[in-house]
Amino acid sequence: MRAVDAIMECLKAEGVEVVFGLPGGANLPTYDAFVDSEIKHILVRHEAGGGHAAEGYAKATGKVGVSFGTSGPGATNLVTPIVDAMMDSVPVVFMTGQIRSDLLGTDGFQEADTIGITMPGVKHSFMVTDAEEIPRTIHEAFYIARSGRPGPVVVDIPVDISRADIDYVPVTEVSLPGYQPNVEGNAKQIRQAAKALAAAKRPVLYVGGGVVLGNASEELRALASSDRFPVTSTLMGLGSFPSEGPQWLGMLGMHGTRTANYSMDQADLICAIGARFDDRITGKLDEFAPNAKFIHIDVDPAEISKNVPAHIPIVGDVKSVLPQLTSEYRALGADSARLDDWLAKIDAWKKEFPLGYSDTDDTEIRPQFMVEAVYQATGGNAIICSDVGQHQMWTAQYYHFPEPRRWINSGGLGTMGFGLPAAMGAKVGCPDQDVVLIAGDGSIQMNMQELAACSQEGIAVKVLIMNNGCLGMVRQWQELFWEKRYSHVDMGDYPDFVKLAEAYGATGIRLTDKTTLVDDIRAAIATPGPVVVDVRVTEEENVYPMISPGMPARDMVG
Amino acid sequence: MMNADGGTSETLSLDALHASVGVRSGRKHVLSILVENKPGVLTRVAGLFTRRGFNIDTLAVGPTDDDAISRITLTVDGAVHPIDQVTKQLHKLVNVIKIRDLEPGESLARELALFKVNVAGPQRAEVMQICDIFRGKVVDVSKESVIFEVTGTTEKITAFDQMLKPFGLVEMMRTGEIAIARGRDET
């Protein structure tokens, strides 16, 4: 069998439905195999678009995303999605073509040291040097990408290797002596954690993206409802717990709610679940949650005590640990009345410090209002994607995510340009759901070209550009921390997004009136095919509240 | 209160909980790491140290009795870095099979060093005597210079280096430490 046909067999065996990629010289053999394969291929217009599309697909479906690129620039264009997938623990297999084995190291045409360049940003990578090893390598790559703490895996195949014929024998199991992710939590530690929860008078469940990745939303809800534990979530964990109700504190961190951040500040016990104490969460580390003891549940042992020392570390898959913790806790029969004072205090914070913004009586659209309008127009029943910047934070604050995998954004790396291709991937993975991208006018221009792929393939993403004519988050920081010395944040009135959408074969709409905004957005989402909506919003609006960089959470401003 | 085994008693006081990990040990650690013998493995280990801001004090790589497996012995300053964080990050590398943080009392560590000294006349005898005390060997002699070979712990090599300095030490080369566990168990 041709090695490239074996690649297709392996992808099929892994359950791959779609590959996002772009052909070139060094992966020509692989692309020849697509001609006769059942596996769908979406031709992207830039490899970065393909990489982010594979991420969006993976985040929306929970399956492994697949992205192909050629050697040299094809591979270097994938570096951003690879690192993005690493930071947000997204399972994606990246397969790159490489120049002929005998030319390696000679600075051949389109040669780049793909393995070397990507090494710091991958979960693992393989350079295939023997065609017979291709099937086993591919299955190992998928296994590593999806198991334990998920992440990106790169498979680099020189073009002469992929041109070879091999004796294809299906691979049914992989064996990696140095890779055994621990999924079962230690039972003693779990019992200890249950006792700590029972002893706590001011507990908080602090949940992160690990709960989404581990498909443990139900298990989290069961733990939270085993008593009246207050729950806060990171940007990446939104949707794992319903964004409403008395136990919901709102998002925490730099642009989190005061209630969530004050609760962390005064808690006596914080139970971190699939979260990693990122600097955007802790603010000034020395003064983070000064009164709290920490339970830390994570599948990655290296996250435990990396930033904040854990008192009760539990290494394991949240999906298996949380039910055990819940039943241990229930068995203790703790007196729920001990939480009365704490819940009353939280309730008072919620009443005193609700999220809000000042609006005026005209037609001007405040960006926060735009997000509320999207929430109303979709009823919370859409997959919402975003790019990176102010619009991302406002979406996190004002869209109330009811379920996991409804919120797709680039959290760890903060990659502008992530949104459109990610939305494309999400729509391909979930064709029956509305996929709405809330983009910034800066971010959208970083991977705008993928509108062509959306139009060509009939991928009906609805792009709502929150257009304030500037790089809003940078402008906000220059206003607050650089004495309003605005440096290169004004983007003017360019491009004309409506005309651009039409040029790409999509529907273009411009909205400027808040009084009809909900209906107009609803109509835009109902319009068939890809749609781009240029929503003009207030330019000088800031994301509040805010923990200033390097400050403790209790000193929130705005 | 908490039991020694991590708690089987009925209630627990939050005050009794202590976080013990992430503490800096304050001493040198010798990590003996078994890795798959595959291209790029050393780069992955070295790159991890660079990326996470850990310093490698010494590094030695060699084969084991199994062709598919190599051993990396490296020393890290536990006063600067939390050693459990270093080992946990290393464990995440797919090609790393096993890591052992060798306790000083339960292991033997050796390093080999070569010293070139430009010394002639009466001073040469004195240098030879120092070499004897350190159980070193003279491995090369010319009219103006002598080359010594010394093996021992890092501390011994450093002491020998200090002794030779006044005599016109030209250069010195060290292999970095390798270490093996005492007793019958494998390292």
Side-chain angles (χ1 to χ4, degrees):
Chain A
M1 185 187 278
R2 296 193 305 169
V4 289
D5 294 321
I7 292 175
M8 295 298 150
E9 290 300 314
C10 295
L11 295 181
K12 221 163 69 184
E14 290 291 348
V16 173
E17 304 159 324
V18 60
V19 171
F20 300 91
L22 198 110
N27 61 6
L28 274 170
T30 317
Y31 271 79
D32 186 72
F34 274 117
V35 175
D36 299 320
S37 171
E38 300 152 31
I39 291 171
K40 190 176 167 67
H41 179 274
I42 305 278
L43 175 63
V44 295
R45 298 319 198 246
H46 187 291
E47 287 85 354
H52 293 312
E55 285 188 273
Y57 174 88
K59 286 187 177 202
T61 63
K63 299 176 193 164
V64 179
V66 185
S67 171
F68 280 19
T70 190
S71 66
T76 55
N77 280 345
L78 285 172
V79 169
T80 302
I82 288 169
V83 179
D84 192 274
M86 188 67 176
M87 293 288 269
D88 285 348
S89 307
V90 191
V92 179
V93 171
F94 294 88
M95 285 183 65
T96 49
Q98 181 54 275
I99 65 163
R100 282 197 338 252
S101 307
D102 60 308
L103 289 175
L104 280 172
T106 66
D107 304 318
F109 175 64
Q110 293 196 326
E111 178 177 9
D113 176 7
T114 304
I115 296 294
I117 289 168
T118 58
M119 194 174 280
V122 295
K123 183 171 176 188
H124 194 53
S125 54
F126 298 93
M127 161 75 101
V128 181
T129 53
D130 175 357
E132 299 289 342
E133 292 290 306
I134 287 177
R136 202 170 54 80
T137 306
I138 290 175
H139 290 297
E140 287 178 354
F142 275 84
Y143 174 64
I144 293 170
R146 76 159 73 85
S147 58
R149 179 179 182 175
V153 179
V154 170
V155 180
D156 197 27
I157 310 181
V159 65
D160 55 312
I161 303 285
S162 61
R163 281 194 81 129
D165 287 317
I166 62 170
D167 294 322
Y168 174 62
V169 182
V171 177
T172 49
E173 60 184 74
V174 297
S175 154
L176 295 155
Y179 181 73
Q180 277 121 13
N182 185 10
V183 293
E184 296 295 329
N186 179 297
K188 263 185 196 162
Q189 292 291 89
I190 293 172
R191 190 169 311 132
Q192 186 80 345
K195 286 178 185 170
L197 281 172
K201 292 190 174 62
R202 298 187 309 280
V204 174
L205 305 185
Y206 149 50
V207 309
V211 177
V212 179
L213 292 162
N215 299 311
S217 178
E218 286 306 316
E219 290 78 2
L220 169 70
R221 293 169 193 214
L223 173 65
S225 63
S226 67
D227 208 323
R228 295 171 294 163
F229 295 127
V231 180
T232 182
S233 165
T234 66
L235 179 71
M236 303 313 288
L238 292 175
S240 54
F241 194 78
S243 307
E244 57 184 4
Q247 286 172 257
W248 176 241
L249 303 174
M251 181 173 76
L252 83 167
M254 182 172 272
H255 290 298
T257 63
R258 282 177 188 268
T259 304
N261 285 322
Y262 289 175
S263 298
M264 294 291 277
D265 188 59
Q266 298 200 9
D268 64 353
L269 182 75
I270 289 171
C271 182
I273 308 170
R276 60 185 177 87
F277 297 92
D278 174 84
D279 60 277
R280 287 299 194 259
I281 295 303
T282 62
K284 190 177 183 185
L285 197 56
D286 297 344
E287 296 184 37
F288 172 67
N291 308 303
K293 306 283 177 162
F294 294 94
I295 301 167
H296 195 170
I297 306 169
D298 205 293
V299 76
D300 179 358
E303 282 306 335
I304 310 261
S305 301
K306 184 182 78 178
N307 295 336
V308 171
H311 298 79
I312 305 176
I314 300 172
V315 178
D317 184 347
V318 284
K319 197 166 182 72
S320 89
V321 171
L322 290 181
Q324 294 175 57
L325 180 55
T326 304
S327 66
E328 291 280 359
Y329 180 77
R330 284 185 192 276
L332 294 174
D335 179 11
S336 189
R338 77 189 187 286
L339 302 177
D340 287 349
D341 290 349
W342 181 229
L343 295 168
K345 192 165 201 173
I346 285 170
D347 206 42
W349 280 327
K350 280 192 189 182
K351 289 200 173 78
E352 191 178 349
F353 306 112
L355 278 177
Y357 58 95
S358 58
D359 208 346
T360 42
D361 233 0
D362 49 23
T363 57
E364 186 172 332
I365 302 169
R366 304 282 157 177
Q368 301 94 328
F369 180 86
M370 174 183 161
V371 177
E372 291 180 319
V374 178
Y375 181 67
Q376 283 185 49
T378 58
N381 292 314
I383 294 176
I384 302 292
C385 304
S386 89
D387 262 302
V388 169
Q390 286 182 315
H391 66 279
Q392 176 191 25
M393 292 299 113
W394 281 316
T395 306
Q397 289 177 332
Y398 289 94
Y399 196 96
H400 310 291
F401 296 96
E403 297 292 336
R405 299 195 184 280
R406 297 273 182 87
W407 168 230
I408 293 171
N409 76 131
S410 164
L413 194 64
T415 306
M416 288 173 69
F418 170 88
L420 178 59
M424 180 170 98
K427 183 66 182 175
V428 170
C430 304
D432 299 332
Q433 297 200 52
D434 285 332
V435 175
V436 176
L437 166 65
I438 298 180
D441 51 311
S443 287
I444 189 71
Q445 295 184 61
M446 290 203 186
N447 270 319
M448 189 91 198
Q449 76 286 344
E450 300 311 334
L451 263 184
C454 291
S455 291
Q456 187 183 11
E457 297 282 346
I459 303 167
V461 296
K462 314 299 170 183
V463 181
L464 309 179
I465 302 173
M466 185 183 276
N467 188 352
N468 60 3
C470 66
L471 295 168
M473 190 58 97
V474 183
R475 193 205 57 74
Q476 174 170 343
W477 281 52
Q478 288 177 350
E479 177 188 330
L480 298 177
F481 309 120
W482 296 88
E483 298 162 347
K484 298 193 181 181
R485 287 163 55 85
Y486 296 120
S487 178
H488 301 279
V489 288
D490 177 20
M491 304 193 77
D493 200 13
Y494 304 96
D496 182 329
F497 287 111
V498 173
K499 282 187 182 160
L500 194 57
E502 286 163 359
Y504 274 120
T507 304
I509 300 168
R510 181 165 292 120
L511 299 177
T512 55
D513 183 349
K514 81 173 174 209
T515 56
T516 57
L517 191 61
V518 175
D519 288 339
D520 290 342
I521 288 176
R522 196 176 282 132
I525 291 172
T527 305
V531 177
V532 176
V533 188
D534 179 17
V535 186
R536 297 303 179 94
V537 301
T538 313
E539 181 181 338
E540 299 212 331
E541 189 72 33
N542 290 335
V543 183
Y544 287 125
M546 179 175 195
I547 304 173
S548 299
M551 298 295 283
R554 76 185 79 89
D555 296 338
M556 285 199 94
V557 295
Chain B
M1 294 303 289
M2 219 171 104
N3 282 357
D5 67 0
T8 47
S9 65
E10 281 312 308
T11 57
L12 175 148
S13 155
L14 291 184
D15 294 335
L17 293 173
H18 297 286
S20 60
V21 279
V23 175
R24 284 160 178 73
S25 68
R27 66 171 170 86
K28 180 185 85 179
H29 287 258
V30 180
L31 302 182
S32 185
I33 307 164
L34 287 180
V35 297
E36 290 184 89
N37 182 14
K38 289 192 171 167
V41 173
L42 182 61
T43 316
R44 287 180 203 273
V45 171
L48 171 72
F49 274 73
T50 314
R51 187 160 85 249
R52 298 275 173 190
F54 306 142
N55 284 323
I56 299 176
D57 288 345
T58 72
L59 174 74
V61 191
T64 63
D65 50 7
D66 181 344
D67 286 346
I69 295 173
S70 303
R71 185 184 301 280
I72 297 174
T73 308
L74 57 81
T75 58
V76 191
D77 190 346
V80 185
H81 309 296
I83 202 74
D84 63 307
Q85 186 55 218
V86 175
T87 56
K88 285 193 288 191
Q89 292 293 350
L90 279 170
H91 264 302
K92 284 173 71 170
L93 296 177
V94 171
N95 298 128
V96 169
I97 299 166
K98 185 181 162 193
I99 302 170
R100 185 147 171 198
D101 180 4
L102 291 165
E103 291 289 330
E106 292 161 18
S107 60
L108 284 171
R110 289 291 181 271
E111 178 170 21
L112 184 146
L114 298 171
F115 296 84
K116 186 187 287 180
V117 190
N118 283 359
V119 62
Q123 281 201 315
R124 182 171 281 200
E126 202 178 330
V127 175
M128 299 283 218
Q129 252 182 355
I130 295 171
C131 175
D132 272 349
I133 295 166
F134 280 83
R135 303 213 178 132
K137 277 193 286 194
V138 175
V139 289
D140 187 65
V141 184
S142 71
K143 269 190 181 154
E144 282 92 27
S145 69
V146 188
I147 298 175
F148 298 108
E149 174 193 313
V150 182
T151 56
T153 61
T154 293
E155 292 71 24
K156 175 180 160 184
I157 307 269
T158 304
F160 187 61
D161 179 46
Q162 295 298 321
M163 294 299 291
L164 287 193
K165 275 216 170 108
F167 295 94
L169 179 64
V170 179
E171 60 182 351
M172 185 257 300
M173 301 193 185
R174 302 166 73 149
T175 58
E177 270 187 321
I178 54 167
I180 196 163
R182 290 181 194 267
R184 52 181 296 191
D185 291 340
E186 280 182 44
T187 302

